[in-house]
Amino acid sequence: TEGGTYVIMEDIKLDFNNELMDPNCIGAYYPTTDQADEYPGAGGREGPFFLGFFAGITIETTDGVTLDLGGHTIMMSKELFYQQGF
């Protein structure tokens, strides 16, 4: 990632892999095993994502980043709020 100012262009509501028919089902809000290339540890017992999604946005650079919400919001869905374990 390159340093600079990044502007959010719309409201963001986080709701990771929510099974809308049953938000309490096993695996809801976790990366699936078929997403393991993108999310290492998905479906396993080790790796960065084995406990699920840890953040909606990460800034990974030492070059300095400003995240400008541009008047928009970043929020979690009500379902994710109630399911979030930590």
Side-chain angles (χ1 to χ4, degrees):
T1 303
E2 223 175 276
T5 298
Y6 292 81
V7 181
I8 302 295
M9 303 300 289
E10 60 186 41
D11 293 336
I12 299 172
K13 183 186 279 189
L14 303 172
D15 202 19
F16 307 114
N17 284 354
N18 176 11
E19 296 295 328
L20 295 177
M21 299 304 288
D22 184 3
N24 295 318
C25 72
I26 293 173
Y29 309 102
Y30 283 82
T32 59
T33 53
D34 62 330
Q35 295 174 309
D37 287 341
E38 189 174 0
Y39 304 108
R45 296 186 184 260
E46 61 181 90
F49 291 90
F50 88 100
L51 290 175
F53 296 103
F54 56 86
I57 293 178
T58 62
I59 297 173
E60 302 176 30
T61 183
T62 58
D63 293 337
V65 168
T66 300
L67 182 62
D68 182 349
L69 294 180
H72 297 286
T73 60
I74 301 172
M75 63 183 286
M76 63 174 61
S77 69
K78 183 171 70 171
E79 294 83 4
L80 179 59
F81 172 78
Y82 287 122
Q83 293 292 338
Q84 184 67 20
F86 51 89

